[in-house]
Amino acid sequence: MGNADNIKIGVKGRAYVADVGTSFPTTPTAVWGTGWVDLGYMHPDGLEEALGEDRTEINAWGEEAPVKTRVKSRDGSFKITFLETTAALLQLYYAVSADDMTSHAAVTGPPAVPQFLSFGTGQASPGIERALGIDIIEGDEIERIMIARVDVSDRGNRKRSADDASSFELTFKPLAAPSGGQAVQRFLTNVSLT
């Protein structure tokens, strides 16, 4: 018989980025430490995770189905739409490093000028690699996903209108972990191995 307690719902979530190599928390409830930046409010659609495999099929003479398959590669992606406009999100969306951004202080005037951030785009960029952490939370249930190294593989269109928030839809692609470690690590509370 089924157990309704095993049904997990992503009621809310948080996402964090840090420089590649920053230490991850060691438990699902530990606070994200120094170097991690909270990316703020997310769209109610939450997190969309996709997994994929590329396989080689070995066929045999006279057999209709493959006799063996081998995984050539596994990949995945994590898509989240963020609602806040922050320097960290602008860096990810526009593939601009913090070193290429300038923050201008407010001037009281005359003439008065508000604080503003400036940066340019349009040149080829190797991308902005980060470590990514995601918490999916339902009450005291937490699923923590820790990705050692990601790049933004897809960016949704930004719409600016009076009807909705100007958001940042980002799809993160896990890359091979530094030093050959696990690319994606997970903690899930209240899930038994047996």
Side-chain angles (χ1 to χ4, degrees):
M1 175 174 255
N3 181 348
D5 291 338
N6 291 333
I7 299 172
K8 306 299 180 189
I9 302 171
V11 173
K12 64 180 179 177
R14 306 301 302 166
Y16 306 86
V17 291
D19 291 335
V20 173
T22 302
S23 296
F24 283 100
T26 56
T27 68
T29 55
V31 175
W32 291 88
T34 303
W36 289 96
V37 175
D38 185 339
L39 293 176
Y41 285 116
M42 294 180 270
H43 192 275
D45 287 346
L47 169 69
E48 183 178 320
E49 180 179 358
L51 299 174
E53 287 185 341
D54 185 13
R55 290 182 165 267
T56 298
E57 294 184 348
I58 310 299
N59 295 304
W61 190 7
E63 297 296 326
E64 292 181 7
V67 294
K68 208 173 236 196
T69 66
R70 290 280 183 241
V71 176
K72 290 184 352 185
S73 65
R74 285 192 174 104
D75 66 358
S77 64
F78 298 85
K79 183 166 82 171
I80 307 171
T81 301
F82 298 95
L83 300 177
E84 295 186 38
T85 300
T86 65
L89 280 164
L90 291 167
Q91 289 167 30
L92 292 168
Y93 189 82
Y94 291 106
V96 175
S97 73
D99 293 341
D100 292 328
M101 298 178 129
T102 304
S103 181
H104 302 270
V107 176
T108 55
V113 178
Q115 181 278 332
F116 66 97
L117 186 67
S118 65
F119 59 93
T121 60
Q123 291 187 310
S125 158
I128 304 294
E129 292 184 4
R130 296 282 189 264
L132 176 66
I134 303 167
D135 284 340
I136 304 160
I137 305 161
E138 178 194 7
D140 65 346
E141 305 273 336
I142 297 174
E143 179 178 352
R144 179 163 283 177
I145 304 169
M146 298 162 289
I147 309 162
R149 191 170 144 247
V150 298
D151 195 0
V152 177
S153 62
D154 193 29
R155 294 162 174 85
N157 295 336
R158 289 193 70 200
K159 178 183 171 187
R160 293 166 176 92
S161 74
D163 298 329
D164 204 354
S166 174
S167 57
F168 300 89
E169 180 186 292
L170 302 173
T171 301
F172 297 96
K173 180 82 166 175
L175 304 172
S179 354
Q182 293 293 322
V184 181
Q185 195 70 26
R186 298 171 190 270
F187 295 145
L188 287 87
T189 60
N190 302 319
V191 176
S192 172
L193 189 57
T194 57

